[in-house]
Amino acid sequence: MATSGGGSSYRNGTPRGSLKVDRPLSVNSNPKTSVKSKPFSSSGPRRSSTGSIVSSTGAANDDAGVPGRVRVAVRLRPRSAEEMMADADFADCVELQPELKRLRLRRNNWDSDTYEFDEVLTEFASQKRVYEVVAKPVVESVLDGYNGTIMAYGQTGTGKTYTLGCLGEEDTAARGIMVRAMEDILADVSLETDSVCVSYLQLYMESIQDLLDPSNDNISIVEDPKTGDVSLPGANIVEIRNQRSFVELLRLGEAHRFAANTKLNAESSRSHAILMVHVERSVKGKHSALSGENGNNAHIKTLKPAIIRKGKLVVVDLAGSERIDKSGSEGHTLEEAKSINLSLSALGKCINALAENSVHVPIRDSKLTRLLRDSFGGTARTSLVITIGPSPRHRGETASTIMFGQRAMKVENMLKLKEEFDYKGLSRRLDVQLDKLIAEHERQQKSFEDEIKRITADAKNRISEVERSYADALEKDRLKYQKDYMESIKKLEEQLVNNQQKHGIEKVSVGHKDGGSALTSNIESPMISTIKEVSELKKLLQKESLLRKAAEEEVNSLKSQLAQWKMSETSENSKISKLREMLEDEARQKEKLEGEIAILHSQLLQISFEADETRRRLDRGGFGKVPGDLDSLLSQVKHQQQESGNGEKASIAKLFEQVGLQKILSLLESEDADLQIHAVKVVANLAAEETNQELIMDQRGISLLSMTAANAEDPQTLRMVAGAIANLCGNDKLQMKLRGEGGIKALLGMVRCRNPDVLAQVARGIANFAKCESRASTQGTKIGRSLLIEDGALPWIVQNANNEASPIRRHIELALCHLAQHEANAKDMISGGALWELVRISRDCSREDIRTLAHRTLTSSSAFLSEMRRLRIDY
């Protein structure tokens, strides 16, 4: 797709002036209108009028898929102020022809190459225009149930992060693709039935880290062996309900993303940022309309599951490719640049293999290619925007970026609709119905139990009424019989009295007759027997009443005892069950404690063994003199440094592994100047690695380096000590400890040596420390004045802000900008004269990024604005 020879002819043989565009047509494009400028969405499925492509049965997806080529757009960044000054006498290395969707890359003043793309965006193209032609068709496909990828590739500093991730807080027209895509998604979905979830990650040094949770820094990649889909189960997934929460998440993620200052970009991204948006939409098929019908079988029709379309949008902000000689990376920044270039190289190899239809695609050479396996040659609809700069100094990088886009245009994807039956939704509905049925059953059971209780109470009441009526009847009978008995007794007594009276009269009348005594005895004998019988009957009646009362009392006492026994049995059973549970818990805790005791015992033995070994080693040789093995290793390091500089890091790693950090740090106190210089160099190289920085701090490395800096006068030694402390200043976790052990004062003390290299390292350390403080203040973990100002570094910073040496001036300017971002430092900076330097930097700095940072800092501080108004500084 390129031409050469001054634009006279194309490499594919198309004559000059022809309007034929040699790029494949999509499945929905019209051949008659293929030359016209149309939106960046000609391939892949379009949304139908009903919003659904489900069959009448709602059953299956099209396994064959729809072919769709990777669409590529090129965007040109305008010249920066630095490029306008440095390249004022040179023309741009590229010339855009947006109406023909071509660009020309100049070889020289007479010859150029011509390339065709799906879309050519000039430096005047707005963010809205970029979104509509690059990203909006992909977002529509994601809403239709397809996977989509939007990716930015290009040299560092060409506007990738601005194109994708600009939040547009100061200017809404500057919103990037991420913010605009979420606006369209939230406007199209229904939050009642649909869901939108987001994950925000970064790939840093081949380690996948969660930008929303920095502690989650080692996320693994899981691949489905059947479908080949890639997932990250360890990443945080946040549901999005409104645009404001999404912007807050983006701001939080950007604060945790790794960035560094290079010659090409003051805030160069050192990691690949990956935003994943998962969209699930419910599709209403023909069968779902039946669920509201009335009838006997209506409950059966509601059991049919709905159809869910699952689309995933992946927005990838690749870290910029860079050349080490141009970016000036060193130390840990150099290792980051190597990792970035390796991952981009692996991506380029995969795209080359796919473009050439190679049998083998090296997809597993990098985690970046594994994450993007669905975007190139997979089932996703992919749009790639390549960003380039106009400067002829970077023509090689621009040509490499253009060729990357040309090869990507040859990659074909097979778009597949991601839809499935919503069995989870059906399960939730069934769970709701089941809960309703269970609740209804519980209500019916409760009413049934209440009815049983009511009937039981009625029966008891009736039984008690019957018992009372029976007792009343018995009492009435007893009273009746007692009354009859008393009446009979009374009658007998009256009869007895009558008889006695009658017989008394007869006895008087016949008293004088013979045989009177015999007659009297005959009359009294039946009376006596009757009285005896009556008294016996009274005794028997009283005895029976007493026995009846005793029996009733005994029955009542037995009933009460039985009830008490039942209650005591219930309480005892509950106590027994509780005791059994307590015994089981005690047994489990005992087993757990026994296991922990065994582990602690084994660890104690191991520690004792290691302590004995350490004691024996210390007894064999102390720290008073340099051990023989350390001396030999240092001599080997010196010899290898003299022979070749490439083996320096390997020698230092070998020395660190075999000798140990504590012995290396002890050599800083050596009286041998040559040995001390080499020890400082070893420590300085170890301090460039983040994994070694905490170890150096734990072994009093800062105190020893400060002591070395105070005693040394050699510029080479001071430069290496300042470089080591500057590397430690860039670690956020070591700020307070570094200052507490005198690291800042040691840096300021080394300015007594006016060597430019030493001063450049001191300025770099101050800039790193100020940047970490600014980041901590933004995150809310740092309050109050800067520690640099408290240690008296501000006068030296102001004095050297306009230093003639470019490295010193650049670091001091960055340090001033970072210090000014915290409002608590404004008063000291105004009284110390830093305000005038900030105004000068915002006007006269040669680097546009630093100039912009100073301008934004001044305009965002109320203290600076009021002071400039008081001094009548035009701004």
Side-chain angles (χ1 to χ4, degrees):
M1 290 197 180
T3 66
S4 61
S8 60
S9 63
Y10 291 104
R11 291 180 180 175
N12 56 14
T14 305
R16 181 178 181 182
S18 173
L19 293 178
K20 181 179 179 181
V21 181
D22 186 16
R23 57 176 183 269
L25 298 173
S26 67
V27 294
N28 293 333
S29 61
N30 188 354
K32 295 181 181 180
T33 60
S34 61
V35 188
K36 295 182 180 179
S37 176
K38 53 182 179 292
F40 194 51
S41 60
S42 59
S43 67
R46 299 292 300 162
R47 187 173 301 178
S48 63
S49 59
T50 60
S52 174
I53 30 183
V54 185
S55 63
S56 61
T57 59
N61 301 331
D62 187 4
D63 294 336
V66 179
R69 176 174 59 80
V70 175
R71 313 293 291 176
V72 181
V74 60
R75 187 182 193 184
L76 177 64
R77 172 182 58 77
R79 279 195 177 194
S80 62
E82 182 181 1
E83 291 174 345
M84 289 181 181
M85 296 175 60
D87 302 333
D89 298 333
F90 300 96
D92 292 348
C93 66
V94 292
E95 178 184 350
L96 303 184
Q97 297 174 343
E99 67 279 355
L100 299 178
K101 298 184 180 179
R102 303 173 185 165
L103 67 81
R104 298 174 62 189
L105 178 63
R106 300 180 188 274
R107 295 182 180 177
N108 46 48
N109 291 335
W110 306 276
D111 198 7
S112 63
D113 293 333
T114 302
Y115 300 92
E116 298 179 1
F117 289 94
D118 295 294
E119 197 69 42
V120 175
L121 302 168
T122 67
E123 64 271 28
F124 305 108
S126 65
Q127 290 282 74
K128 182 179 180 182
R129 167 70 177 166
V130 174
Y131 171 74
E132 288 179 348
V133 300
V134 175
K136 189 170 184 178
V138 179
V139 173
E140 290 179 351
S141 296
V142 171
L143 291 172
D144 284 339
Y146 293 85
N147 287 347
T149 301
I150 304 168
M151 187 168 66
Y153 177 89
Q155 183 190 8
T156 181
T158 55
K160 299 181 298 301
T161 303
Y162 174 77
T163 300
L164 294 181
C166 183
L167 301 181
E169 295 176 333
E170 299 178 358
D171 183 9
T172 57
R175 290 168 299 158
I177 287 177
M178 292 181 181
V179 178
R180 294 177 184 269
M182 183 55 67
E183 288 177 353
D184 283 356
I185 290 173
L186 292 177
D188 197 76
V189 301
S190 173
L191 297 179
E192 296 179 356
T193 58
D194 306 334
S195 67
V196 180
C197 299
V198 166
S199 297
Y200 200 14
L201 314 166
Q202 69 173 349
L203 179 59
Y204 175 72
M205 302 284 285
E206 284 300 302
S207 175
I208 301 176
Q209 304 176 6
D210 197 332
L211 288 175
L212 305 181
D213 183 9
S215 61
N216 190 8
D217 57 357
N218 190 16
I219 301 174
S220 59
I221 301 175
V222 177
E223 299 180 8
D224 191 336
K226 295 182 180 179
T227 62
D229 292 339
V230 176
S231 61
L232 302 170
N236 283 337
I237 299 178
V238 181
E239 185 175 0
I240 301 299
R241 307 292 295 180
N242 52 64
Q243 184 72 12
R244 180 180 298 178
S245 62
F246 175 70
V247 174
E248 289 296 329
L249 286 180
L250 289 182
R251 186 182 295 109
L252 175 63
E254 287 300 323
H256 294 150
R257 190 176 178 186
F258 286 98
N261 177 25
T262 65
K263 293 180 179 180
L264 298 177
N265 192 356
E267 293 290 336
S268 177
S269 300
R270 315 308 292 169
S271 64
H272 307 298
I274 303 166
L275 175 69
M276 294 185 177
V277 182
H278 303 270
V279 181
E280 292 189 6
R281 308 193 68 186
S282 178
V283 180
K284 294 183 178 180
K286 295 181 179 180
H287 59 277
S288 62
L290 299 175
S291 60
E293 296 179 358
N294 296 325
N296 296 329
N297 296 327
H299 65 284
I300 299 177
K301 295 175 183 178
T302 58
L303 298 181
K304 294 183 179 180
I307 292 177
I308 291 294
R309 287 184 178 174
K310 295 183 178 180
K312 180 174 71 173
L313 175 63
V314 180
V315 184
V316 185
D317 181 12
L318 295 174
S321 59
E322 61 183 52
R323 292 186 179 179
I324 306 304
D325 55 345
K326 292 185 178 181
S327 64
S329 299
E330 59 183 10
H332 186 64
T333 308
L334 177 60
E335 298 299 324
E336 293 175 340
K338 290 180 180 179
S339 176
I340 292 170
N341 289 338
L342 283 175
S343 61
L344 293 177
S345 175
L347 178 61
K349 290 178 182 179
C350 291
I351 290 179
N352 288 342
L354 291 170
E356 297 171 0
N357 293 325
S358 177
V359 177
H360 172 66
V361 179
I363 202 74
R364 295 189 175 274
D365 288 357
S366 171
K367 288 187 177 180
L368 177 62
T369 54
R370 292 178 64 190
L371 287 171
L372 298 178
R373 67 178 302 171
D374 192 43
S375 303
F376 293 97
T379 62
R381 181 176 188 182
T382 302
S383 291
L384 171 66
V385 54
I386 59 174
T387 57
I388 59 176
S391 175
R393 290 180 296 168
H394 305 306
R395 185 191 178 282
E397 290 83 348
T398 302
S400 175
T401 302
I402 291 173
M403 294 310 299
F404 180 90
Q406 289 285 294
R407 288 189 293 269
M409 290 177 67
K410 299 178 182 179
V411 177
E412 290 281 346
N413 292 350
M414 294 299 294
L415 310 184
K416 290 187 178 181
L417 185 64
K418 304 292 184 179
E419 66 177 18
E420 60 186 24
F421 288 121
D422 187 13
Y423 291 109
K424 292 184 179 179
L426 177 62
S427 176
R428 289 193 295 270
R429 292 201 303 272
L430 291 177
D431 288 339
V432 171
Q433 293 183 5
L434 180 61
D435 292 339
K436 290 181 179 178
L437 292 175
I438 291 174
E440 182 65 25
H441 174 69
E442 289 179 351
R443 286 195 295 269
Q444 292 180 358
Q445 186 175 4
K446 183 68 168 56
S447 62
F448 177 74
E449 291 177 354
D450 293 341
E451 185 67 19
I452 293 296
K453 289 180 180 179
R454 188 184 63 80
I455 295 174
T456 303
D458 292 342
K460 289 182 178 179
N461 293 332
R462 291 180 181 180
I463 291 172
S464 61
E465 290 177 358
V466 171
E467 287 179 349
R468 283 195 299 271
S469 62
Y470 179 70
D472 293 340
L474 287 177
E475 184 67 21
K476 289 179 180 180
D477 291 341
R478 186 180 67 79
L479 294 174
K480 180 181 177 183
Y481 293 143
Q482 187 176 4
K483 185 177 180 181
D484 293 342
Y485 168 73
M486 295 302 293
E487 289 178 352
S488 61
I489 292 298
K490 189 176 180 180
K491 288 179 180 180
L492 289 174
E493 289 178 351
E494 290 177 354
Q495 187 178 1
L496 177 61
V497 171
N498 293 329
N499 290 333
Q500 286 178 355
Q501 291 176 358
K502 183 178 179 181
H503 289 292
I505 295 172
E506 290 180 355
K507 182 177 180 181
V508 173
S509 62
V510 292
H512 299 284
K513 292 182 178 180
D514 294 336
S517 60
L519 178 60
T520 303
S521 62
N522 292 331
I523 293 172
E524 290 179 353
S525 58
M527 292 294 295
I528 294 171
S529 62
T530 302
I531 293 170
K532 288 181 179 180
E533 289 179 0
V534 170
S535 61
E536 288 178 359
L537 287 174
K538 286 182 178 180
K539 291 179 180 179
L540 289 174
L541 181 59
Q542 292 175 356
K543 186 177 180 181
E544 288 295 333
S545 62
L546 291 174
L547 289 175
R548 181 173 177 273
K549 289 181 180 180
E552 289 178 354
E553 291 177 356
E554 186 175 0
V555 169
N556 291 330
S557 64
L558 288 175
K559 286 182 179 179
S560 61
Q561 290 179 5
L562 180 61
Q564 291 178 358
W565 288 344
K566 287 183 179 180
M567 293 175 59
S568 61
E569 183 181 3
T570 304
S571 61
E572 292 297 329
N573 289 335
S574 62
K575 290 181 181 179
I576 290 171
S577 62
K578 289 181 181 179
L579 289 175
R580 286 178 180 174
E581 292 177 357
M582 293 174 61
L583 288 175
E584 291 176 357
D585 292 339
E586 291 292 336
R588 285 194 296 269
Q589 292 181 1
K590 181 180 179 182
E591 293 177 358
K592 183 178 179 181
L593 290 174
E594 289 177 351
E596 293 179 354
I597 289 171
I599 294 173
L600 292 174
H601 184 66
S602 63
Q603 292 179 354
L604 179 61
L605 293 177
Q606 181 68 22
I607 292 172
S608 301
F609 177 75
E610 292 178 356
D612 294 339
E613 291 294 327
T614 305
R615 191 180 299 108
R616 284 195 292 272
R617 287 200 300 270
L618 293 175
D619 293 339
R620 286 198 296 269
F623 293 96
K625 61 180 181 178
V626 180
D629 56 348
L630 181 59
D631 194 7
S632 63
L633 285 173
L634 282 173
S635 63
Q636 292 177 11
V637 171
K638 298 176 186 177
H639 179 68
Q640 290 183 5
Q641 290 175 352
Q642 294 173 359
E643 292 181 354
S644 172
N646 296 331
E648 182 178 354
K649 287 192 176 181
S651 302
I652 291 172
K654 180 179 178 182
L655 180 65
F656 177 63
E657 180 180 355
Q658 297 185 7
V659 177
L661 180 62
Q662 187 174 6
K663 290 186 179 181
I664 295 174
L665 292 174
S666 67
L667 295 180
L668 295 176
E669 303 175 350
S670 175
E671 298 179 356
D672 188 353
D674 190 23
L675 185 61
Q676 187 183 36
I677 289 174
H678 286 283
V680 169
K681 190 168 186 179
V682 171
V683 175
N685 281 276
L686 291 175
E689 300 292 337
E690 186 176 356
T691 54
N692 300 330
Q693 292 175 355
E694 294 188 9
L695 296 176
I696 293 174
M697 294 296 294
D698 293 338
Q699 299 293 334
R700 296 179 55 253
I702 282 294
S703 300
L704 295 174
L705 288 172
S706 302
M707 187 185 304
T708 305
N711 298 330
E713 297 293 337
D714 179 31
Q716 182 182 2
T717 303
L718 291 174
R719 180 181 63 82
M720 289 187 292
V721 172
I725 297 178
N727 289 332
L728 295 174
C729 285
N731 194 319
D732 295 325
K733 303 176 182 178
L734 307 178
Q735 295 282 297
M736 297 301 296
K737 194 171 184 180
L738 181 70
R739 188 249 187 160
E741 295 187 6
I744 303 301
K745 292 184 178 179
L747 274 178
L748 297 176
M750 283 184 279
V751 302
R752 70 181 185 275
C753 177
R754 300 189 178 276
N755 186 282
D757 294 335
V758 177
L759 295 180
Q761 294 299 326
V762 172
R764 184 171 70 88
I766 291 176
N768 288 341
F769 197 93
K771 182 178 179 181
C772 292
E773 280 193 328
S774 175
R775 186 184 298 119
S777 299
T778 303
Q779 296 175 355
T781 58
K782 169 73 171 66
I783 57 176
R785 291 196 309 163
S786 169
L787 301 179
L788 292 172
I789 296 177
E790 292 182 357
D791 285 351
L794 185 60
W796 185 84
I797 293 174
V798 174
Q799 181 182 356
N800 290 269
N802 200 15
N803 197 295
E804 295 180 357
S806 176
I808 300 175
R809 185 174 67 254
R810 175 166 58 89
H811 289 303
I812 291 299
E813 289 173 347
L814 280 174
L816 277 173
C817 292
H818 288 306
L819 286 174
Q821 289 180 352
H822 192 32
E823 193 71 21
N825 302 329
K827 184 177 179 181
D828 294 305
M829 296 185 72
I830 292 172
S831 61
L835 176 61
W836 293 101
E837 295 298 331
L838 282 172
V839 173
R840 180 192 60 77
I841 293 169
S842 66
R843 293 175 177 176
D844 304 333
C845 182
S846 59
R847 290 186 53 171
E848 183 182 4
D849 52 350
I850 300 179
R851 191 165 66 250
T852 304
L853 182 60
H855 175 80
R856 186 170 66 247
T857 302
L858 287 172
T859 55
S860 62
S861 173
S862 59
F864 288 150
L865 289 174
S866 62
E867 182 67 16
M868 286 190 291
R869 284 193 295 269
R870 188 182 69 82
L871 298 176
R872 297 182 180 178
I873 299 176
D874 295 333
Y875 202 74

